[in-house]
Amino acid sequence: MNEQWIQAPKIDGNQELAAQFHVSPMAMRLIRSRAGLGAAEVRAYLCGTLEDLADARLMKGMTEAVELLCQKIRVGATIRIIGDYDIDGVNATHILVTGLRRVGAQVDTVIPDRLKDGYGINEHLIEQAKEAGIDTIVTCDNGIAAAKEIAYAKELGMTVIVTDHHEIPYREAEDGTRTTILPPADVIVNPKQADCPYPYKKLCGAAVAWRLVEVLYQEAGVPREEFLDLAQFAAVATIGDIMDLTGENRILVKYGLKQLADTTNPGYRALLAVNGLEGKKLTAYHIGFVIGPCINASGRLDTAKRALELLGASSKTEAEKLAGDLKALNDSRKDLTAKGTTEAIRLIEETDLGQDKVLVVYLPDCHESLAGIIAGRIRERYFRPCFVLTDGEEGVKGSGRSIPGYHMFEEMTKVAELFTKFGGHPMAAGLSIPTENVELLRKRLNENCRLTDADLIPKLSYDAVLPIQYAGEQIIKELELLEPFGKENDKPLFAAANVRVKSARVIGKNRNVLKTVLEDDKGSRLEGISFGDVEADLHYIESKDTVCLLYYPEINEFQGRRTVQAVIESWR
């Protein structure tokens, strides 16, 4: 695949700040490109603590929600938490049920079934709550878009508190003015409300729930340590829900990862152990690509109740069994994803689908919960917007993943009449569609598509040129200051030119790793490792005398031996 490499804008004046914060000018340049240019921004980025979080009571509805919950607890009213089946919803539910039980609430939980119930609160769940004699419903990680459903709960005489972090729905008039549509809940806590004075708007659902429990504990006189103990759950959710790792999220994740490494929670201890992570320094990568998928696999292939039970497990034995089950589910999910991805690639390569700028791939037998993951894999491979559709219980369901320059939700709005239901944002979407409209959707999306050939060339941004002779332990140690890496706080990438590849071989059980030995024109050598389409990379390397590469240096520890290696993102 052709790629365009773009060097990040150079930042001057790093020397003084580098001396002030005891780092190299190169490290300071990387920090300022992420944190902002001033000393205060650099200090917040490097040294921010939980004490720097804004007062939770600034969040609109927070004080009223806690007062209402305290009233309900005093009179012994029954409370039901309705969460979501993904990593954010499961952790948010655990935080709320732990917090409410600690202050004496009569509380239970319901997490919707992905296939039977779909996302968030619905009329069926409200009727169930009414039949069970529930007085108050508290949502977490959902509810802001459920105006009709919450109106129904109010008609049935229930109290409803919404805690959420999703965008506020709106109606747009012909003249372009927008009217927000808020559900008629008793209280709404969501920092994205236009008139919410809380300064940081990018919290996940579990972090909103965590701040609510903080105020609840303050009112009930519960020691602050018990609130801090729940930070690890909000941190896992922040990474797993792919929130920006900036500002308050960065502080929360840094704190939560340290906490998780020594967690006393039997569920997370068991999940770390079963994945071989016990005693290791945990990074956002481990949550995003190892722990998180196990939590999500529960809601994808079975029921998210298992993941919630794991977080609430009281004994080591129970936790180990549940952790083993979730790992097995995730292994199964990986196999099914690989099978679906292979079939999608076959269709693109062997049919006229491959000529489309917007890929619409229909995989009738694929498990519907995997459509989004497969769409993401296809988007990465071909760098084109991709929708993966599969047979649901009623008609066809699907998920889309986009590229910069293609606003997925707006493009779907142009063909809204084809869908039974759809929703999303610029980079991802979900949909339901009658089977007979599948081919028409493909045709119309491509007819409307305004992407140019230039738009379909991926752009890789790198931070600086760093010849491999300078990729040593010192720079690697400084790069650790920039962790945790994730959305809006990318792992730094460096460029190196005129590199000879002294040896290269494909390794690994699945032959998906390319191991190399690199040498520059000064004779400095460095081991390299890369992933992806390794056979094509090997063929490319063997045809060149020297190559350029984009890489990230790290320490590889294997059988007690520490070596510096380059993790290579791209060759040219």
Side-chain angles (χ1 to χ4, degrees):
M1 188 194 295
N2 289 328
E3 289 171 339
Q4 189 179 351
W5 291 6
I6 301 166
Q7 183 168 359
K10 287 188 177 174
I11 296 173
D12 296 320
N14 298 306
Q15 298 281 358
E16 192 179 320
L17 280 173
Q20 189 178 331
F21 287 95
H22 309 292
V23 297
S24 68
M26 164 69 88
M28 182 51 65
R29 174 178 163 185
L30 299 173
I31 290 163
R32 291 174 78 208
S33 72
R34 287 155 175 77
L37 301 183
E41 293 156 308
V42 169
R43 184 173 290 104
Y45 181 87
L46 291 176
C47 314
T49 70
L50 293 183
E51 304 313 311
D52 297 310
L53 302 184
D55 183 347
R57 292 171 194 266
L58 284 175
M59 217 175 282
K60 186 183 181 190
M62 181 65 83
T63 303
E64 294 83 350
V66 169
E67 282 174 0
L68 186 52
L69 284 168
C70 289
Q71 283 173 27
K72 296 292 183 182
I73 291 163
R74 276 195 297 273
V75 299
T78 49
I79 300 170
R80 174 163 290 176
I81 299 160
I82 296 183
D84 186 27
Y85 43 67
D86 71 353
I87 190 167
D88 190 15
V90 168
N91 279 279
T93 303
H94 176 74
I95 288 167
L96 282 183
V97 75
T98 303
L100 284 164
R101 281 184 183 150
R102 175 66 178 84
V103 297
Q106 286 189 53
V107 60
D108 68 8
T109 63
V110 167
I111 291 188
D113 182 281
R114 181 188 283 265
L115 301 183
K116 287 183 201 154
D117 300 312
Y119 166 74
I121 191 169
N122 61 42
E123 292 188 2
H124 165 64
L125 294 176
I126 290 162
E127 284 163 0
Q128 277 184 348
K130 184 66 180 172
E131 285 164 17
I134 297 297
D135 174 89
T136 300
I137 290 174
V138 181
T139 73
C140 53
D141 192 32
N142 76 95
I144 199 67
K148 183 165 74 75
E149 292 80 2
I150 288 169
Y152 182 51
K154 294 303 300 169
E155 278 171 31
L156 295 179
M158 283 186 274
T159 299
V160 182
I161 297 170
V162 168
T163 77
D164 201 352
H165 74 117
H166 290 97
E167 299 293 338
I168 313 295
Y170 62 86
R171 191 180 295 107
E172 191 165 330
E174 285 182 17
D175 63 359
T177 56
R178 293 178 175 182
T179 309
T180 55
I181 306 162
L182 288 171
D186 293 81
V187 188
I188 298 170
V189 185
N190 181 338
K192 290 216 173 87
Q193 292 179 88
D195 53 350
C196 176
Y198 194 82
Y200 190 76
K201 306 294 184 183
K202 297 176 180 179
L203 300 177
C204 69
V208 173
W210 181 62
R211 300 309 307 269
L212 185 142
V213 168
E214 176 183 19
V215 180
L216 192 63
Y217 279 10
Q218 286 169 359
E219 291 298 308
V222 176
R224 183 167 169 79
E225 291 70 38
E226 293 191 40
F227 154 70
L228 295 178
D229 222 27
L230 296 171
Q232 58 195 305
F233 303 99
V236 168
T238 300
I239 299 165
D241 214 33
I242 319 176
M243 307 307 294
D244 290 3
L245 292 192
T246 59
E248 294 197 358
N249 284 341
R250 178 174 167 79
I251 290 169
L252 171 59
V253 168
K254 275 176 88 167
Y255 182 86
L257 282 173
K258 284 180 188 161
Q259 206 178 36
L260 193 64
D262 298 312
T263 185
T264 56
N265 177 265
Y268 272 137
R269 276 185 80 99
L271 201 53
L272 290 170
V274 79
N275 283 291
L277 294 176
E278 215 170 22
K280 288 195 176 176
K281 182 200 164 195
L282 292 180
T283 66
Y285 172 86
H286 294 122
I287 307 305
F289 293 93
V290 184
I291 297 300
C294 289
I295 299 286
N296 278 332
S298 167
R300 287 186 190 281
L301 299 184
D302 185 30
T303 165
K305 288 175 195 161
R306 281 209 209 187
L308 186 61
E309 283 170 16
L310 174 79
L311 301 192
S314 53
S315 73
K316 187 173 181 240
T317 310
E318 182 193 3
E320 284 172 350
K321 182 189 179 304
L322 286 163
D325 289 347
L326 292 193
K327 185 176 185 303
L329 272 174
N330 191 43
D331 290 341
S332 172
R333 189 269 314 161
K334 285 182 191 170
D335 292 341
L336 289 169
T337 302
K339 187 178 168 190
T341 304
T342 301
E343 176 59 11
I345 291 167
R346 186 191 70 75
L347 287 170
I348 293 162
E349 301 285 353
E350 295 180 10
T351 72
D352 59 358
L353 276 184
Q355 296 163 23
D356 293 348
K357 284 184 175 172
V358 182
L359 298 170
V360 178
V361 185
Y362 181 33
L363 303 174
D365 299 328
C366 171
H367 195 288
E368 69 181 66
S369 70
L370 304 180
I373 304 177
I374 295 168
R377 299 263 172 96
I378 297 301
R379 183 262 320 267
E380 283 169 23
R381 184 181 177 99
Y382 295 101
F383 199 70
R384 284 183 252 175
C386 178
F387 292 87
V388 170
L389 311 181
T390 181
D391 284 347
E393 288 191 6
E394 294 174 19
V396 169
K397 284 191 170 181
S399 288
R401 298 292 182 269
S402 198
I403 62 172
Y406 188 83
H407 193 303
M408 196 156 254
F409 183 68
E410 285 183 1
E411 293 299 324
M412 292 170 78
T413 303
K414 291 176 188 174
V415 293
E417 71 279 2
L418 297 180
F419 303 110
T420 316
K421 191 175 170 186
F422 75 100
H425 50 81
M427 298 302 286
L431 63 99
S432 298
I433 189 169
T435 311
E436 60 271 21
N437 286 356
V438 168
E439 192 54 35
L440 190 56
L441 175 68
R442 176 194 163 199
K443 180 170 178 281
R444 295 274 300 280
L445 287 174
N446 278 285
E447 283 173 352
N448 292 342
C449 180
R450 296 290 171 264
L451 290 171
T452 65
D453 290 341
D455 293 328
L456 299 178
I457 297 172
K459 294 164 183 63
L460 271 178
S461 178
Y462 65 94
D463 289 270
V465 173
L466 185 72
I468 63 172
Q469 71 183 98
Y470 299 115
E473 293 215 24
Q474 178 60 35
I475 187 78
I476 292 168
K477 192 169 175 45
E478 290 195 316
L479 292 179
E480 288 177 1
L481 296 172
L482 279 73
E483 293 181 4
F485 298 122
K487 189 176 174 219
E488 296 302 314
N489 190 50
D490 295 330
K491 191 176 269 198
L493 268 184
F494 300 102
N498 301 318
V499 176
R500 283 186 295 279
V501 181
K502 301 299 289 181
S503 68
R505 60 198 173 97
V506 176
I507 61 169
K509 186 176 72 172
N510 300 318
R511 292 187 59 77
N512 61 348
V513 181
L514 182 60
K515 187 90 173 160
T516 51
V517 175
L518 312 169
E519 185 181 80
D520 68 9
D521 53 8
K522 306 277 194 311
S524 299
R525 288 197 173 191
L526 184 65
E527 290 181 2
I529 192 165
S530 61
F531 308 91
D533 194 351
V534 293
E535 298 287 354
D537 286 342
L538 179 61
H539 179 70
Y540 177 78
I541 290 163
E542 288 175 340
S543 70
K544 306 290 175 192
D545 292 330
T546 63
V547 292
C548 302
L549 46 98
L550 293 187
Y551 75 101
Y552 174 81
E554 68 174 20
I555 299 295
N556 179 35
E557 293 193 40
F558 184 67
Q559 294 180 343
R561 180 171 161 258
R562 278 170 62 87
T563 53
V564 175
Q565 71 177 10
V567 180
I568 297 155
E569 184 74 21
S570 187
W571 305 87
R572 68 152 56 154

